[in-house]
Each structure stands twice: as C-alpha cells, then as structure tokens.
Amino acid sequence: MGEMKLLLMKKGAEASLYLTHWHGREVVIKKRLPKKYRPPQLDERIRIYRTIHEPQLMNEAKKAGVPTPTIFLVDVNEASIIMEFIEGIQVKKLLSETTKNKREDICKKIGELIGNLHERGIIHGDLTTSNMILNNEGKIYFVDFGLGEKTMELEARGVDLHLMKRALQSTHFRFTEECFNAVIEGYSTVLGAKNTKDVLEKVREIERRGRYIAERREEIT
Amino acid sequence: MRKKLADTVYCLGIESTADDFSVGVATLDGKILANVISAYIPEEGGIHPREAARHHAEKASQVLEEALKKAKIKAEDLSVTAFSQGPGLGPCLRTGATVARAIAHYLKIPLIGVNHCVAHIEIGKLKTGAKDPVTLYVSGGNTIVAAFDSGRYRVFGETLDIALGNCLDVFAREAGLRQKAGMPFGAVVEKLAAEGKRLVPLPYTVKGMDTSFSGLLTTAVNLLKSKAYRLEDLCYSLQETAFSMVTEITERAIAHTEKREVLLTGGVAANKRLQSMIKAIAEEHDAKLCVVPSEFAVDNGAMIAWTGILAYKHNVFTPIDKSFVKLRWRLEEVEVPWVK
C-alpha cells in the first residue's frame, strides 16, 4: 500500500475508514488499529477475529440478497479490509429529514433486509441507522458486520432487533415507534407472522430481563 | 455558626435503592453540607432485599440525625425533601420513600422523587465540573453509557443482563473472598488482579453498544472451580475482559456523540485499572476524563439532595399520592429541564 494516498473518512471507535484508489477503483480501507487500553493478547484476538468474520458475513449477506460492499482484499496481519466504496447517504442522517411516508418506506425496507439476514442465519450484531447507507439508486447497503455472527437461534435474532429498537430510541427518539413498527412490518413479509411473533416475544423477554421496561402493573407502595 | 438567611434553601436527600441507606443535605448554590452513608453488609451471600430494608429502617433516624447535625441545621430549616424513587430493590426503595413522605408531610414541605441514575450523573457533574459528558455509570446494580440529548439523558449502551459490579461481586463470593467496611469486593478483586500475570481467555461479549456479563461470569466461575488457574490470574483476566468491554462501548458512544468529556461514576469507578482504560480512550478522542470522587460515586444521599435542588429550581415536584416507588424506572424516561 506504499504509494497510495489515504484519506481518513471516519475515525470510529473500533476502526478507521480510509478512502483511496486501488487498481483504478475507489475503495474503502477499514483498518482496526490496536487499542492501547486492553492487553495486547486480548486486543489481537478481538481484531483478528473481527477482521476474518466481517468479510465472511458480508459475503453471506450478499447471497441473502442484502446489499453490502464487495470485499476486495483481507489482510489479517494488518487487521485491514479493502472493500467497495458505496456512494450515498447514511440512513441516520436521512431519517429525521424526510417525510413520514418516506421514513416508513425506508424502515419497511430495512425490516425486509433484516428478515433476509435472519432467514439465512446471519446476525448483524450492530443494527443502527449509521450502519445503513442509501445509495444513489435507492438501494440500502448494510455495513459494519464486525460484531455479527452466524446462528439460527431465536435469542440472537431477538437481541439483533432489540438493538435496532434501542438505536432508534437513542438516535431517532421522535419517531421510534413508527419506525420500529415499519421495520417489523417489513421483517414479517420475509419471515412470516409466526416467526415475527416469536422474535417479538423474545424481544420483550430480553427487555424484561435487563432493566429496560417499567413493570406493567403499578408498584404498590 | 451559620446564619439562617430567609432565602437559604436546604434540600434533604434520602438514598435507599440497594444496600446503602444515606442522607445528604444540599443548598441552592450547590454546596453539599452533609453526606452520611450507612452500608448494609450481609453476613454471607448477596443483598437480601428484605434484610437490607430492615437495616435501612433501623438506621434511618440515626443517619438522618447525623446528617442534620453535620449540616448544622434543624429539621425545621429544610425547604424540600427528595428521595430516590427508583430504579432499585422494592423493599429498600419503599423504606426510603416512607421516611421522605413522613418528613415532607410533617414539615409541610414539598416532596421530590428523584431518579437514582440521573442523580449519579448530576452529582458527578457538580463535583467534577463536567458540563456535557458521556457518562459511564458502573455499579453493583447498573452498567450504563449515557449522554444528554433533547431534554433527557439517553442510554447509548447498557448491560443486557447483570451489572459489571454484580459480576465482580459474585465471582469474589464464589472464590470465598470476604469484604469488609472500606474494602468492598471490587477492591478485593482489584488487589488480587494486580498480582495476576497470565491472561486467561474469557468470553468477550459486545452486542452493538450493549454488553453482557453473565457468560463471562459463568466461565470465570467454572475455571475457578476447575482449580487449574491461580485466583490472581482469574481476577486479572476477569477485570481485563470486563473492563475492555465497557471501555469499548464507552468509546463507541464518544465517537457517536462527539462529546468532549467522559464522566466515570458508580462504585466500580473507584477501580484504578478501569480509570486508566477510560483515560486512554478519552485521550484518543481529545476528551477530558472526569472521575467522580468515591464518596459521591457510590450510592449516596448527597446526589439525591442535589438533584432535588435542580428539580426544585424548575418546580418539578412529586405529590405524595404520586410518590410510589418505581423499581425499573429508566434513565431516559426522565425529563431533565435543568440541562441546557
């Protein structure tokens, strides 16, 4: 990578994204830099694990019909991934600025895409609207599969949707409910009413397990 | 001798969400005049809510009296009384609430139900000078990463199951360790961890901005029982793994919100290793690290009193008939009109 001109696009918590040219293409290099705060052994384990798993899951997602950037090169030793640059706008930025109808359409589509992932046993692991990009052709790309896993377990699906809901609550608190309902609507068109009901029950169980919801009955003083 | 001014407002704060019963006194201009804490330490096992509540009921008048004495005021000087209304253990919360209601009713002063998590953030801001931080609140009952946005403290990350402090406490108990006043389980584990050399691989669970500690705890306890590892190494590995998890989600919240301050609070905030990890990410993002002094980082009455003052200034009161305790009162349900 010696001669390449790297432009730091985003310095996230986990990785830095650089925009550059590579064999005549515009690409993104995602590099997981060592974290000084954790012991080197643990740090390496986490970075290598995520660098290997992320491209695998992105590839799987593509097969499931969910747009993801194409992977060009994985360098495990450097903990870096070279992938396609998706030109578009983060759904996070878009959601609060658009109309109610558009918002519902986008969220429904997001729900379908999550459904596609789950149907194939892919858990994204970090479903937030900043990890979704709407490109110029109107396709929604999912990125950042670093915390994902492959499993058909209901629990994992529940947590995935719970995280989506939580992300809506913290970032799009004005429209949390309408957005989440639309996501579920889209989800159920892929996975059907029965599966959707089961996973929603799981979401409620997860909420009750933590300290997420107020008791439904009023407390007796 | 303090002179009683006509416009001096004293707020009494009663904290009783879990194993501590505490009473604090705060003034309108942010002076903490008293912060008396009585800790309930079980003979063995964890906190039994009823036993803790019994402790609170027994100690209440003594702690209250001591707090007023420290503040050099009489009960009649109080202008308002606040109590932690939730989240917490039912019997414990009810004991504090009962005391607060009695005082408010008897002295004919207003009552304010305060959210325990909000109070931790507010006292942290008062004591460290932080203005708009990302807060990591880690204790025996809570593990929360929060930041202010549009009228409320929003929860960006939290535990999906048990709290970080709870994870450390249970491990310590399983290892047969003992805690005593001034040396809680967390400090005992920290001391042993300092002697640890070998990092034993343990489950590292970060889901989005959330964490989970139950799998980590189970694995650590199983390894402990296998007797294949030194206790010091297990304490070290448990701390390194668990702290790395909360540090990762805190860093994600800093990157996401782009705030320039990190507030570290809760009982686990006293851990030096955790402090150094959070310091490292704060520096990386050009943020200032603010560690809340221990006395105000653990559960304490002063934080309730100070939050009571903030609410008082904005006329947020709680009528007695609406003062029932809220066991699972979420941080983000609370409007905080005093912020920005």
Side-chain angles (χ1 to χ4, degrees):
Chain A
M1 294 180 203
E3 295 289 307
M4 283 190 298
K5 204 179 134 211
L6 297 181
L7 176 69
L8 183 65
M9 260 169 78
K10 188 177 176 252
K11 185 175 155 50
E14 205 220 351
S16 290
L17 299 181
Y18 302 92
L19 187 63
T20 189
H21 285 275
W22 185 77
H23 293 289
R25 280 175 183 278
E26 211 170 9
V27 296
V28 170
I29 300 179
K30 176 169 185 170
K31 191 161 165 55
R32 292 185 158 85
L33 299 160
K35 292 287 169 193
K36 274 179 287 172
Y37 65 80
R38 53 196 179 203
Q41 235 178 308
L42 177 63
D43 185 57
E44 210 177 286
R45 192 182 109 205
I46 292 168
R47 287 189 300 123
I48 289 180
Y49 180 87
R50 291 180 183 167
T51 305
I52 293 171
H53 280 254
E54 180 167 26
Q56 288 174 345
L57 287 173
M58 283 166 75
N59 218 19
E60 286 276 336
K62 227 187 234 316
K63 286 185 206 157
V66 176
T68 59
T70 302
I71 305 291
F72 296 129
L73 190 79
V74 179
D75 187 337
V76 175
N77 292 327
E78 289 282 311
S80 72
I81 303 167
I82 299 183
M83 64 181 105
E84 180 188 1
F85 171 61
I86 305 297
E87 215 173 333
I89 177 168
Q90 260 186 341
V91 172
K92 176 189 164 189
K93 286 176 187 144
L94 188 88
L95 222 47
S96 33
E97 282 158 20
T98 190
T99 62
K100 192 169 187 291
N101 282 344
K102 279 244 175 68
R103 202 158 46 231
E104 273 182 22
D105 286 348
I106 292 169
C107 289
K108 225 180 118 185
K109 185 67 201 165
I110 290 170
E112 280 173 36
L113 294 171
I114 299 172
N116 291 336
L117 289 178
H118 286 188
E119 197 180 28
R120 221 185 157 92
I122 305 162
I123 302 302
H124 182 277
D126 192 12
L127 287 172
T128 69
T129 47
S130 21
N131 286 335
M132 299 164 189
I133 301 165
L134 181 71
N135 82 348
N136 306 333
E137 290 158 31
K139 267 206 246 175
I140 297 174
Y141 279 72
F142 278 23
V143 298
D144 211 347
F145 283 71
L147 298 175
E149 58 177 325
K150 270 216 85 176
T151 171
M152 290 297 272
E153 273 176 40
L154 186 60
E155 167 79 22
R157 292 179 177 185
V159 171
D160 225 17
L161 279 181
H162 170 67
L163 293 179
M164 180 79 252
K165 190 173 172 184
R166 287 278 322 288
L168 293 171
Q169 277 167 351
S170 57
T171 315
H172 307 284
F173 36 83
R174 281 181 203 89
F175 331 105
T176 301
E177 234 183 83
E178 61 169 82
C179 286
F180 191 67
N181 289 342
V183 166
I184 293 306
E185 200 188 323
Y187 189 82
S188 69
T189 59
V190 178
L191 284 173
K194 167 78 172 69
N195 283 326
T196 306
K197 190 172 155 264
D198 289 351
V199 73
L200 279 180
E201 252 164 45
K202 202 65 184 177
V203 170
R204 282 200 68 78
E205 188 196 313
I206 292 159
E207 287 171 340
R208 254 179 273 129
R209 200 186 299 157
R211 43 214 77 238
Y212 299 107
I213 51 165
E215 303 285 86
R216 270 156 301 168
R217 64 186 171 86
E218 282 211 334
E219 294 303 330
I220 308 149
T221 42
Chain B
M1 267 300 284
R2 178 176 297 108
K3 257 166 82 186
K4 174 86 177 81
L5 303 169
D7 59 350
T8 307
V9 172
Y10 297 106
C11 178
L12 188 79
I14 297 173
E15 157 60 34
S16 71
T17 46
D19 55 341
D20 293 321
F21 184 85
S22 175
V23 176
V25 178
T27 63
L28 208 54
D29 54 353
K31 282 196 191 68
I32 302 299
L33 303 181
N35 189 29
V36 181
I37 304 172
S38 169
Y40 154 76
I41 299 174
E43 298 261 310
E44 58 181 281
I47 307 169
H48 191 299
R50 253 190 343 250
E51 291 303 313
R54 197 202 311 267
H55 160 269
H56 298 349
E58 280 167 6
K59 296 282 177 186
S61 61
Q62 187 190 325
V63 173
L64 184 61
E65 210 172 309
E66 208 182 315
L68 291 174
K69 206 173 135 196
K70 273 232 169 95
K72 300 196 178 91
I73 57 168
K74 291 192 283 299
E76 292 73 27
D77 298 329
L78 293 170
S79 328
V80 53
T81 183
F83 71 105
S84 57
Q85 198 174 1
L89 304 170
C92 302
L93 285 170
R94 282 177 203 116
T95 308
T98 306
V99 175
R101 283 184 209 114
I103 292 170
H105 184 71
Y106 180 73
L107 296 172
K108 298 190 173 59
I109 56 175
L111 183 68
I112 295 172
V114 166
N115 179 291
H116 178 84
C117 305
V118 170
H120 268 291
I121 298 175
E122 294 303 348
I123 194 80
K125 284 160 68 180
L126 177 73
K127 285 291 165 187
T128 64
K131 295 276 178 292
D132 183 22
V134 165
T135 299
L136 172 61
Y137 164 34
V138 271
S139 67
N142 291 283
T143 304
I144 290 176
V145 179
F148 179 82
D149 192 351
S150 309
R152 297 180 190 200
Y153 292 110
R154 310 280 164 182
V155 176
F156 283 89
E158 62 192 324
T159 177
L160 287 162
D161 39 55
I162 58 173
L164 172 54
N166 190 222
C167 174
L168 298 173
D169 286 357
V170 173
F171 179 80
R173 280 206 303 274
E174 290 285 338
L177 301 171
R178 307 289 281 179
Q179 65 176 343
K180 50 182 192 272
M183 189 78 174
F185 279 134
V188 178
V189 171
E190 181 177 3
K191 212 174 150 198
L192 284 167
E195 308 286 313
K197 292 182 184 73
R198 183 175 161 207
L199 189 74
V200 184
L202 294 170
Y204 181 97
T205 318
V206 168
K207 300 185 183 216
M209 288 225 203
D210 291 347
T211 60
S212 152
F213 298 103
S214 59
L216 172 64
L217 174 62
T218 307
T219 310
V221 169
N222 288 343
L223 293 180
L224 175 77
K225 286 182 176 160
S226 76
K227 298 200 181 1
Y229 301 93
R230 286 171 70 223
L231 177 59
E232 291 84 351
D233 288 339
L234 284 176
C235 287
Y236 167 69
S237 308
L238 181 65
Q239 272 200 179
E240 292 299 314
T241 309
F243 293 172
S244 294
M245 282 157 53
V246 290
T247 304
E248 179 173 356
I249 62 167
T250 307
E251 186 178 14
R252 305 189 87 207
I254 300 169
H256 182 84
T257 59
E258 293 174 355
K259 299 213 187 244
R260 289 282 167 264
E261 291 164 326
V262 187
L263 185 74
L264 180 57
T265 193
V268 190
N271 189 299
K272 291 279 183 289
R273 178 62 183 132
L274 178 62
Q275 289 179 10
S276 79
M277 283 194 189
I278 301 295
K279 187 159 189 272
I281 52 150
E283 280 171 1
E284 200 169 315
H285 292 264
D286 292 321
K288 190 178 153 217
L289 173 66
C290 307
V291 180
V292 181
S294 215
E295 181 194 352
F296 299 103
V298 297
D299 291 354
N300 66 88
M303 69 181 193
I304 304 298
W306 171 237
T307 311
I309 289 282
L310 295 171
Y312 177 89
K313 283 188 199 170
H314 284 80
N315 298 314
V316 180
F317 299 111
T318 311
I320 287 184
D321 60 354
K322 296 240 163 52
S323 67
F324 54 82
V325 297
K326 303 172 181 177
L327 275 61
R328 295 189 174 219
W329 194 13
R330 280 185 68 75
L331 174 62
E332 61 208 348
E333 287 174 42
V334 187
E335 300 271 354
V336 285
W338 51 84
V339 186
K340 268 198 292 236

